[in-house]
Each structure stands twice: as C-alpha cells, then as structure tokens.
Amino acid sequence: MSHKYVYYFGGSSADGDSKMKTLLGGKGANLAEMARIGLPVPAGFTLTTEICTYFYEHGRTYPPELRAQVNESVAKMEKEMGAKLGDPKNPLLVSCRSGARDSMPGMMDTVLNIGLTEATLKGLIAKTGNERFAWDTYRRFVQMYGDVVLGLKPQSKTEIDPFEKIMEELKHEKGVNEDNQLTVSHLQELVARFKKAVKDRTGQDFPEDAHEQMWGAIGAVFGSWMNDRAIVYRRQYGIPHEWGTAANICSMVFGNMGDDCCTGVAFTRDPANGENVFYGEYLTNAQGEDVVAGIRTPKKIAELQLEMPEVYAQLDKVRGTLETHYKDVQDIEFTVQNHKLWMLQTRNGKRTGFAAVRIAVDMVDEGLIDWKTAISKNRIPPDDLNQLLQPLFDAKAKNQAVKEGNMLAKGINAGPGAATGRIKFFAEDAEKYAQQYGKHTDHRIILVRRETSPEDIRGMQAADGILTAFGGASSHAALVSRQMGKVCIVGCSKLQIDYDKMTLTVGDKVLNDGDWISIDGFTGEVIAGKLATQPSEVVQVLIEKSLKPGKSSVFKQFEKVMKWADKVRKLKIRTNADQPNQAAQAVAFGAEGIGLCRTEHMFFEHLAEMREMILANSLEARKAALEKLLPFQRNDFVGLFETMNGLPVTIRTLDPPLHEFLPNDAKGQEEMAREMGVSVEEIERRVKALHEFNPMLGFRGCRLGIVFPEITEMQSRAIIEAACIVKKKGIEVNPEIMIPLVGFKKELDLQAALVNSTAEKVFAEQGIRLDYLVGTMIELPRAAMAAAEIAQTAQFFSFGTNDLTQTGLGMSRDDYGSFITQYTELDVVKKDPFQVIDFEGIGKLMEIGVEGGRKTKKDLKIGICGEHGGEPDSVKFCHKIGLDYVSCSPFRVPVAKLAAAQAVLEEKAAKEKAKAAKDAAKAAK
Amino acid sequence: MSHKYVYYFGGSSADGDSKMKTLLGGKGANLAEMARIGLPVPAGFTLTTEICTYFYEHGRTYPPELRAQVNESVAKMEKEMGAKLGDPKNPLLVSCRSGARDSMPGMMDTVLNIGLTEATLKGLIAKTGNERFAWDTYRRFVQMYGDVVLGLKPQSKTEIDPFEKIMEELKHEKGVNEDNQLTVSHLQELVARFKKAVKDRTGQDFPEDAHEQMWGAIGAVFGSWMNDRAIVYRRQYGIPHEWGTAANICSMVFGNMGDDCCTGVAFTRDPANGENVFYGEYLTNAQGEDVVAGIRTPKKIAELQLEMPEVYAQLDKVRGTLETHYKDVQDIEFTVQNHKLWMLQTRNGKRTGFAAVRIAVDMVDEGLIDWKTAISKNRIPPDDLNQLLQPLFDAKAKNQAVKEGNMLAKGINAGPGAATGRIKFFAEDAEKYAQQYGKHTDHRIILVRRETSPEDIRGMQAADGILTAFGGASSHAALVSRQMGKVCIVGCSKLQIDYDKMTLTVGDKVLNDGDWISIDGFTGEVIAGKLATQPSEVVQVLIEKSLKPGKSSVFKQFEKVMKWADKVRKLKIRTNADQPNQAAQAVAFGAEGIGLCRTEHMFFEHLAEMREMILANSLEARKAALEKLLPFQRNDFVGLFETMNGLPVTIRTLDPPLHEFLPNDAKGQEEMAREMGVSVEEIERRVKALHEFNPMLGFRGCRLGIVFPEITEMQSRAIIEAACIVKKKGIEVNPEIMIPLVGFKKELDLQAALVNSTAEKVFAEQGIRLDYLVGTMIELPRAAMAAAEIAQTAQFFSFGTNDLTQTGLGMSRDDYGSFITQYTELDVVKKDPFQVIDFEGIGKLMEIGVEGGRKTKKDLKIGICGEHGGEPDSVKFCHKIGLDYVSCSPFRVPVAKLAAAQAVLEEKAAKEKAKAAKDAAKAAK
C-alpha cells in the first residue's frame, strides 16, 4: 500500500482522530474527532502536514501518489453528501482551509465555494431555487479565488483591493449603496468584470474546471504557510517553521441561503473572564467569514434561542458534548443551513489570563480535570498570571473623567485590563512609533481601528491596547488580543473613525493621532485622556491588604493555582529586591528568600557620601567616607533582614563602575563641585580618569572590592552588624554575601577572606555569632569554565544571566537595538536572548558551570538572579539543569512558581512517555 | 632511618648531584656535582627545599629531625676543612646562601663569615696572622648579620642604611676617606657601635654563639623566599611560589686575605655576544660580593693570567671541564685564597638572545650537543630571537652625533641592542613614569644609575635600556639586563651621576631627568639625544636585502636555528598583514600564509568614500558609495595575492563598529561636513545614532554584514575579482574569506550564502573559476559552545583570542589598566591574559571549540589570529590542542616558528618521560 497522505471524515466515521494533530493539523484532527463522536460534520478530507513538508522540499510539487488518494476521498465525500464536484446538475461545492498543529487564526489562506463554474452555477440555481444567492456565491468565489489563488492583490500599500475597486465602480455606476442591493444582473456583470481583471493581470482565463479549482486552492493554502504574517506569528509564538500546515477539503454548507440560515462562532465558556456561560455570536443569512472579519457586528448567541429554539437546543447540547469530550473550553464554528446545524470546527479556546485561571479552577471543581492538569502550560501559560496583577483604572479617576465629559463610549470588553496610550490608527504607524520610542511610559500606544485584520499583527504587538469600532467578541481583534494578553475593546460602534483625517470622533469630541486615550478591558469603557490606575484585586488583597476577597473572587482562584504549584515544584523561588517594601511584596507572593539585593541602589540614595568616597585620593579619606556610608547600609540591611524574617537574603557587594555615581555633564559637575566644595577641574579629572570605553567590561564587580578592599570591608561590616542587631532582637537571620563578576578563584579567595575576617571582628565586638555564607555570581564565561575551582571557595553560586548573556554573546544590552530586529526577522536568534535564556549557548555555559561546581561540592546551592529568573521557559531550563532556586522581581514570583511546577510535571510526563515508548519497543520485539 | 633533609658535599664526594635541583636547588646541586667531578669545592651541606616548604607550612619552624642531621654534616665539614665552628683556637667560618631550583640572582639573602665571635676572632687572628683582615671580616659579618638576620634596615625609603650611617660618622670623626684606611682600632670601635645599634633597635645582644648564628642565618635565608622582590621576580619569570628555596652552608674561603687572594665571576663564553672566549672579572684582595655589587669596577679575567699564571691555568682547565661536563655555558664564581683556587658556584649562564643563538649553533658545530638540544627552550627562549630583529643605531646618525659633540662616553657593552629614551635616575621614578605613559615611543626610559641593586628590578623592567657608571659585565645591572633582554651598558666611569641634583654630567655636558639619551649595547657607546636607528643585520639581509651575510654572521646563525625549527615543527606559521609590504616581510621570515588580513585598514585609507557609505540613508546611496570603494579594495587584494603567490590568504570582512570611521569631536565633524557637503547637524545626528555604550559588544563584526549585506557583497566581490585577476596572470591564489564575530550558526549561514552567490556571479562574469574557503572567527564564548553547529557551515575556524579573552573574562583591553596591576601583584592572574592565553579559562573555551568543530568535521582547519599567536607559551598551547596554524605579526614569525618546534620536542620528551615512568613502575612490580 502506498503511504497514506489523505484522511477522510464524514457521516459518523473518520480515518483520523483528535490525537493526530501533528499529521492532520488541529482543524483536520478535530473534524475527524467530531465525526467520530457523532456530531454533524460536512464530509471532507485532510491533506496531511507531511504533504506540506514534501511541497517545500520538492519545489512546490506533491507526492505522486497524492492525486489518486484525493480522488478516492472526493468520491467518498460526494457519496456522503449526495452531490458531485463539477456536476452541472447536482454540484458539490467545497472549501479548502489550512490547519496547522497549533492554531494560527487568520494567518493562512482559505478558499470557499470551490467547484462553482459557469456550468455548475446553473445546477446550483436549480438546486436552491435561489438565483441571487447562487450568483452572489459565484461573485464571492471568483473574488476570493482571484485574490488568494491567482494573486490579484493590491500591488502597493496605497492601492485599494482590485476587486473592491471594481465593485465600488459598479455600485457607483448603478447607483447602488449596499452590497445586498446588487441585483442578479449586477452580480453577473461584476463576475464578468472580475474575470476580465484576472485575465488582464495574469493573462490566464479564470479556471472553469472544479477539480482544477480545488488543486489551485490546495496549492495556495500550502503556499500560505510561508507568507510573511504566518512567519511573524510563528516567531512570536515559538512555532517551528518545519511543522507545516495540513489542508482540509470540506463540503460547503451555507449560512447565507436565507433567513433560516445563519453562521456563528462560540466559546463553551466566556474566554474573557472564564465564566461558565455559552458565549458566542452569529449572523443570520451570512457566511462564516463575516463574523470574524468584524465588518458586521453580530448578534449574541442567546438570541438564537429565540430565533431558532430547536437549533439552539441542539447547539447547546453539542457544547456540553464537546466540553465533556475534550475536557477543555472549546472554540467552535457552526453553520445552520435551512435549519440544519453543521459543525465546521472545534478547538481549544484561547482565553485571557483571567479566564485561564478561572476555567482551570472551575473545571477541577466540576470534576472535569485534576489539579495537575489544571496547572499545565496548556491550561495556564505562566505569563498569563501577570494579567491578574496588572493595575486597573482608579475608580475616582474614572468618576472624574465622567464629570469632565471624557467618557466617550462603551464597547464589548474583549480583553481585560486597563490600558492608556497614544492613539495610532494604522498598524504600521504603531510599529514604527514603538521602534522609535521603545516601551517608554510616555509613548504607549492604543491601536484604534474600525476592525483589525491579520495584516495588523505587528502593530497589535506594538500596542498596549486595541480598540475597534466593529466586530464582536470573536472578531480577529478580540481573538488576537486575548492571545497576546492585550487589553481590548471591540464593537464600540459609537466611534467614528476617519482614516484619511486620522481622527476618532464621538459626538463633538475629536481625538487625533497621538492623543491620549484610556480603555478599560473589564468594562468596555473608552475614556479620552490619560487615566490613573489602582492595583489589581490580587494585589489589593495580597500586598495592600486593603480588600477582603470574596469566595469566588479572582484572588481565591489565583490562590488555588499557587497552592497547587507549590505542591509539586522543586525549585525554590526567591526575589530580587533591595528595599523592605519590595521584599514584603515578594514575600506576600510567596517568595522564599532574596536572591539578589543590589547594594548600589542604597548608594544612589546617599550620593554625596558615595561621591566623597570616589573623590577620595587617599586610603584614609576613602575610609572616612565609607565610615559615613556604613550606618545607612547597616540600617537598610536591618530592614531587609527583619522583613525576610529568617529567609535567606543574598546581598551582592558593590557592582557598577564608579563613574555611574558621578555626573557626566558639565552642569552636573559644576553642581557637584559646589556641593562638595572642590574644584570643577578636580571632578572633571576624576570623571575623565574613570571614563571607560567598555564599562561593561571594565572596572566593576569584585574588581572594585579587590582594588579598594575597604569597600568590601565596609559592606561586610554593615551586613554582619545588621544581622547581629536583628538576631539580638530574636529574629532569625540568614545572610548570604555574594561577590559579583568573579572570573578567577583567587578573586573570590581574596574577597571571601576579607568578608570572613571582618565578620570575625564584628562577632567579637558584638559578642554574638551567626551563620552566613559567602558565594559568588557566575556571570562571566570564565567563571563557568573555572567553576570547579571557584567552588572550592564558594559556598553558593548564582548565575547572573544578564551579564553572562552579554559577555557570552558579546552583545551589549544597551547597544543591541541596532541589529536585534533584523536578527529576529532573519531567525538568527529564535527569541530575544535577554528575555529567554539562549539555551544552546548561554545555557551550555550554565550547564558547564553547574557540572563544575557540583564536581567540587556535590550539594552546592546554585541559583539564578538574572532577569531570566522570572521567564517561564528559562525557569524550566533552570529546573532541568538542576538549580536550587530562581530569583526574579517580586511581581514575577507567581509566574516563576507556576513555571517551576510545570517543569516538574512536564519532566515527569516526558519520562513516562519515554518509558512507554521503550516498553512498546520491547513488546514489539 | 629518618627522612633525609641535609645533603653533604666536600672532598671529592657528595650526597647529591646536579640532577637533584628540585630538592637541593641549583646552587646546592651544582656544588655537589662539582665535588663529585673532583673540582675544588669548600666543604658544606645543603638544607633541602622540602625544609622551606615545611617552614612555611608550620609557622616558620623546622622538622624535628633537622638539628641532628645538621650537626652530623657540620662535623663532617669540620673534619674535611680541619677547623671547628666556634672553636676559639681553630675556628671554621661558614656562609649561608639561598639556592632555588631556578636561579634568582640577588633576590634572596646571603650571610657570610658566620662563626665569628669575640672568642673565635682571636683564633682567626692567630691562624691568619692578619689582625686587620680578621677585624675587617668581623666588621663585615656584624653588619651583614645585623642587616639580614636581625633586620636592622632603613625604616623608610629616605633613610640611609643604619650601618652605612655609623660608618660614615666614624670615618668623618676619624678623618678617614676610604674604607681601607680604617685601622684595627677604628674597626674595633665600629664593631662596638654596630652591636650597640643592634641592641638599641632590637633590645637583644648580638649573638656570640657560632651555632646560634648559623641557625639565625638559615632562618633568614628561608624567610627571604617570601620577600617582595623575590615574589616580583618569580611572577615575571613564572616560577611557582610553591617551589621554595634550599639553603647552603658552605665553608668560608677568603679572597680578601691579601694580595695572593682574589675573587671573581666568569662565564665560559661571552654571555653578551656568545663568542667562545673565557669571559670574566675578578678583584684582588676582595670578597665575592664586591664584584657583583658593582661598586668597584673589576679587572678582566685575562689579567689573571699575568697576575697568577698557575691559578689562571687551573681555572681555564676548570672552564673546559665544566663545559664538557654540563654541555652548556657556565656562569662560575671562584675565590683564590693564598694562591689556592676554590670553586664556589657554577650554573648555566644567562645570556642575551644574540649569545643564545651563537652558543647553541657553535656547540652543535663543536659536537657538544645535537641540534634538537640546541633549539630547546633552555638554550634559546623563543622571545630571545626578537633581539636579533631589533633595530641598531643608524651609522650616519651616530657620525653626526660625534660631530655635534654628543658622543658622551664608552662603557662595557653588557646587553646588545640600541635604546633611546628619557633619563630616569631612580627605579621608582621609572616605574611610575611607565605606569603613567605606557609603552609610548615618546616616553621610553633609560634607567641611569651609579649601579643597580635587586631593589631596582621593577624600574629596570619599566626601562628600555640600563646605563651604569660602575660595575662590570657580571654586575647586577648586566646580569639582570641580559636576562630581561634589555640594552645595557655598565662600568661607564666617565659618567658623573648626582642623585640629589638628578643630573648626569660628562665634561661640561649636563643631562637632566627626562632628557633624551641613546645607548648602543653593541659598542658600549653613550650618546646624548635621540638617535635614529637602522634595521638589524637579520632584517637587512632577509627583508631589505641590502646586505650579504658573512659566513659566521648573526644571520647565518639565525638561519640555522630557523631551519632546525622548520624540520621538527608541526604548526604552520602565518602572519597578520594587510599590506603587500608587511606580507612580503613575513614571507621573508618564512610565513606560510596570511592568517588575518584586516580589511578595515584599507577603508581608513579611503575615508571619504567610507564616510559617504555610512552617511547614506538609502540602500541605493549606500550601494553607490560601496561601488566607489570596490576598486580600491580589489586593488589591495590583487597586491596581497601577488605577494603571497599561492599561499593561503585569510581575509576578514569588515569588523569594527562604523563610528570608528567618523570624527568624534566638533572640529572633525565640521571639517567632514565641509568636505562632504552635508550639514554638521546631519553628521552629529549620525555620530549620535552610532554611539554605543559598549562598542566592543555592539554593532560590529558580522552584525554589520547582516544588517547591511551590501557591504559583505562588495567585499566578497573585491576579493573574488582580485583572485580572478591574479589567477589570469598565471599566479596561484588561495583566498579564505573569514566572517568575524559569529556567535550563531545562522549568522555564518547568511554571510556564507552571500559570499557564495557573489562568487558565482563573479565567476560567470570573469569566465574563470577558482577555489576559495569561507570560514569564521571563533572569538565569542558562544561560538565555542556552538562550534559543532557552526562547523556545519564553516570551512575553517580561526580563534580570535583578543576578543575571546575580552568577552570570556569580561575584561576590556582598553579599560583593564585600572585593576590589572593589582591583579598581577595579588596573583589573581599569573600572566597578563592579553599577552599569554589564559589557559584555564580562555584556553578551555578554545578546547571546547576545537572539540566541537572537529566533531562535525574531522579535519577542520583551525588556526589562531589573535595577538597571542606570536607568544611562545600560547603557541605551544595551540600545538597542544591540535590547531593547524598560528598567525602573528611579521616580526613574530621567527619566534612562533621556534616555539612551535619546541612544542613538538617538549611533547615528545614528556611522552618519553611518562613512558619511562610507566616502564619503571612495571619493572618494580
């Protein structure tokens, strides 16, 4: 038998099932599954992702055996649907849709109504008795096929779509305003003009053979895997380009054959807040694309109960069947043709962070899933937790806005959260603006559109919030925003958007490009101007302790997820904090210690004394200045130790180059001279002497403490004295002193000896002893190389992945802007290495470091305190290579916890899978 | 039997021999060896280096069994010498001298005349019948013991030596000018005052027990292993601090008992130029220290033949015996006491590079050694070859100086070469000056001293040349200069040096601190002012081809050494060159290709076009500017390819950040604006846009070629077009295109694809094809990590160890000045990692890189083109890890060749040694 490339589904049977997503793509696998469990699916078949791989490896051709397999499936489909592709008497129409392993909504191409020709058109008229419907369908087909398959697209950014242009011209000629006012003869003329345009541009006649049309569409769908927006999308979501898409040929059913027809999309639960309600929209007498395109604002699903009660009941039953079967929220597409319900698609519904948490928790309560499933990355991507911690608009500020007449309108709350930004009307503008200004608070963006389309995806990425005048909760804007975790309001029909004038008008209020606007994704409110925010519910309960949480509050759900994560994770989670209030926040979020306290922040608060130290030109003068800094440092540490109440506190000795503490500009230097009573020349001289060509690679880190041991001495004294003070109060204290930028064992030897001798002095003075550790950061490639040696002295390691990435890649975070965009677009780097650990490069250095360290000390405590410590994939990597803890900013603690838990579950699953495969292989022998 | 800590020598026997240097130190082992081969050695014994180790590990105490072993050896020595330590009637006096495994001349302490007390003094007078001699000896002993053992030293840099001060006072009181005018009673008073000074400072009486004196001296000698100058010395010469020194107790013989006594030092051949003549100096009626101290200028050894013909004949015979026995030049110390010759020391003589080469070559000719021994690192340290390439003073310039009266004086030519620099009279000043100005041509230093002492070692390091008024060819200044390879003239007695006024006066010519002076180490000539130089003989013959070498010329010797090296080395030697004349020089020195041609140097020569390219704000404009640069680049490459005549030429694409091509200052920017016809603002804007915080880690290397592919395209075109032109002329051509700063495989993929497609275009245009390679630099830690992947695309690797060191250590070469001095002093780094590869860190990255690359391509060609490629230890490391070639600057090619040969020989020796040890272990079983 030849290799199977085509999988049939229809009636109540199917060749494939939902487990075969890799081969059939999500859409194909789920159509097969729905057919298997007896749901009404129009017959069809799936061309596998292997064909896509073949297609790109063989100059866009197909495997030779494909044609016969397709023909066989077409025959089965024709039999099931009782009609024939290309039959002038009884024509079968089909769609051709992409379907990748992971859903990539709207990124690839679709062709509907394939099989309509001059000949079959007559059959369709005869069959439906609806000439206008048939001609309108033909018009739509020629337009879609001409665009997608034959490539009749605008040839520049400014050109209007050629088909739209022809239609506008004809409507103008005929004095017609709306599409539905076009008569049969108008439509006939339109089709003729469309075909002529195709001929003019391509030199080819429009294909009049149904099978030829089908193969053309298949080629276009596979071809769309490599279009620009699909590539961008995959890059953002980490989908490998190698996966390929499947293509699905599906019998057409029509939601636009009359008022007993409709088409809709729905979620089995609310994807914005997670509530267990049937949530969806439909349009009567319409094709499915109309709902998603967002051009007409559709009706709520509840209305279908009134309009077509039987169909609604059937659909609601399907909703239950699907959730019980899939055990997850489903995002479905359906069409009702002459009162008959057809299911066109089901897939796991994308949801906001709020919804993800609520749905996961609810489903455990409902007994649908267990708690380990609930906290898996498919249910709650760790980053989603972040949404629950984001600020909301301040209630008072909102009231004030109402008073001042700034409350503009209310739309559909499609993506929760509060976003304030400058209006940008075009995705391209938004993208450029973001490139120019970066993520600065003063330059946040709200993308304001009539509707969005897949072309807008980069602009949406650049924006903090999306606001559309049209479209419902299932529109493109809503779907994509939810997935990106962006605040989103759609269908805000009061907004008048003029793209030419670049204005947004509501009543007599006119906002321009660049004006401030605020959108509340919880309530759907659109407010002119910049609005103040207040902390989220979780923050109010946990951090501010200003709110008592209700039983089913977001907080309670969040708390449950955190408890589950804590049950299973092995990594400890610490926080990067240098002030008691930050530390307290982190502890409230469950931090188990401080992984990085940067002492330099404390110095910036006592700049005068610090500068005195830097200007000192003798050891005595430097010591005198340090003497003044000592009580401040000690005081700061006392506060931290008290807050952390016995949890380990890792304090890093002075790290940044000294010139960071001096003013660089003439004005600042004059001021400093005046304040310190020295000459400007003296300060200029010192600034010049400290100037460095590459400060990142210069006189900083432990190099400071080695050249000026008195600095480390003062800092050690401050730490140990503070610890003694706190211990004397009866509070447990666990200081861990961390030496930065160590590359050579001897550096750590020297600094550790200094810390230890200072500690002994303090113990003698204070008449009390306590335990403390001296360890080092591993943030230079050399440190990773020499880890075994360094571990002879170090009592712990902490990976400083920021600097390790900078040095390991030879890439300065301050300077990589000039090429990183191209690097991402050209796939040189898969992800920004300063956000996600570069596993193959920096990760390998880390593995070498862990191996070396543990070779010397089997149980050496190893953590990470770079900013990667709060990024889920990096956290999982840290688990994999055997770190003891990760440390991240306070607000990332929940994210890190969940990622750490998932790391354990995923590792276990992978082991079980490997074991099963091994057992199966054994059994096969 | 207890562990043997003491080794006796005397008569014609010895416990030890010359192979036991590790245990007995060089001096002890050779005293034992000389006794064994029947040379007249005063009896004595050696306390092993193990005692030194024990001493430092046990709080400066000795192994308990030591005392008995010492007593036993003292008894044997007393028997041999027919006198007893501490015997008032027949006293034996001894010396106590340090002796490390490697000679560290003058760095540690020595005590002479041990055993003299008030009681034994009388015995000495009786025995010698020379009261004045006895009292003078006692005076010397109390002074030396008081200084070295009892620590009566100046307490600050400005204080005079306390003993000298007392002596000056007494001489003043007594109206005595010279030491030898002091009478017995003067000396008695002096001793009394010395002892009082000791008592006053230390509270202790001067020891009157001979054994107590001996043990005090032993403690001082072991203690001096850790004094400051010994540590500095070891650091410079890479001697491990763990080795420790031995201590030698040796019967005293006296060169100062009258005019039938003398003392001298000699070399069996001339250590300055290598000539096979007996070369040495002596002082009649003097102690050995007087010769080395350089206070009296001694007589040439030839005069001894006239003064004491029998002794001279005996000594000359010893010279022959020693050379035949040791098969190397010996540096000996001897004393003649009442016409009897005693050998006090022999060791391999330190020599200049000129002498090293000549001696090695001569000894092969003489059949004393084979050629492999001749080129070993002990015979010719590779860096020594450098001396043979250094410029000499230009003959015309010297004639001119004579005419103008600038020829000041002529001294002893103790270190060959030509040095011009600014006069510094104090070592400390020289050191500070060098720290301030670095190695800039305008700030070279000639250290001008009456004599030098071990305290001056850092200042000597800082200087380019050393000039002394006193001392002979064996004085401290001469010895140390030769070892350091510094130009040196000693014993230039016409110089009047006034330390207080800081002047150097010759006749009516007065030179001050900071004035220019030139010294010719070949001729001994001292010239006021800055003198022009001309190339060395080797360079004149090989490079300039302006000289035909004589049969025994330096060139012929050099040539022989190079041929021997070529016979055995496995590493290929390439050169870093970007201009035909540089390349030609390197080829003359035997370079086998270009390992690094930096294309940016070519751009700097066409700055206008380069700047036009950088200012271009469209692809078209950039291409137009590149179009102008193309012919220049092509032309440069044609020249290089022609010069290299078929040898491989590795060309690196543009590497430095673009801002390096723009002026940074306002004036430069204005000028550029005028020249280019654009506004200053435009240029300011561009400079600002290109500014980077850490240019080393910024937009440079292949990042440029990826963001601006048209640059790589132009460069590839220039290279391939040039290659085609040259090939068409019938000249072989082997271009290797090297992509810099690659960290990710994809970077190389992109750049290699561009190079290859450009090459194909050029081949089609030119109607000719040729082979070329595309490879990459491995200069980022990530590249080492990803070497296996990168090697899938790379056709060769070249380690860029400059950048690899900067990134791997997180240390900028431009900025490390602020801490590297302390780092060296504190032993954080053993050697400057930018001079010698940091084997444990950067070396490990290299090993990982080699392993990865060869895993993918077994025979991958791998080289190094960082500046380490010309440093001997680094070259040996490159051999060890299996590189194919090293590349270095043209003048380093001979050094690299010799180091590469030594690497092979040393590897073989190590293998043979390991095998022998294994066989021995097997045999023992």
Side-chain angles (χ1 to χ4, degrees), chain A residues 692-697 703 707 746-747 782 785 807-812 815 822-823 826 838 844, chain B residues 692-697 703 707 746-747 782 785 807-812 815 822-823 826 838 844:
Chain A
E692 293 186 304
F693 294 96
N694 293 287
M696 178 56 49
L697 309 175
R703 296 162 189 174
V707 174
K746 184 78 184 216
E747 293 174 314
R782 196 194 194 276
M785 293 296 119
T807 50
L809 305 188
M811 213 180 264
S812 155
D815 302 309
Q822 269 100 330
Y823 265 45
L826 292 167
D838 159 40
K844 208 163 159 186
Chain B
E692 294 186 305
F693 293 96
N694 294 287
M696 179 56 49
L697 309 176
R703 295 162 190 174
V707 173
K746 183 78 185 215
E747 293 174 316
R782 195 194 193 278
M785 293 295 120
T807 49
L809 305 190
M811 213 180 264
S812 156
D815 303 308
Q822 267 102 332
Y823 265 44
L826 292 166
D838 158 41
K844 206 163 162 187

Side-chain angles (χ1 to χ4, degrees), chain A residues 348-369:
Chain A
N348 290 336
K350 310 246 170 179
R351 63 209 81 170
T352 66
F354 289 92
V357 169
R358 175 161 183 177
I359 290 167
V361 170
D362 283 355
M363 284 192 171
V364 173
D365 288 346
E366 292 161 23
L368 216 52
I369 56 174

Side-chain angles (χ1 to χ4, degrees), chain B residues 235 819-832:
Chain B
R235 195 171 295 136
F819 54 90
I820 196 65
T821 313
Q822 267 102 332
Y823 265 44
T824 319
E825 302 209 338
L826 292 166
D827 273 324
V828 172
V829 293
K830 297 241 165 66
K831 293 190 176 167
D832 181 338

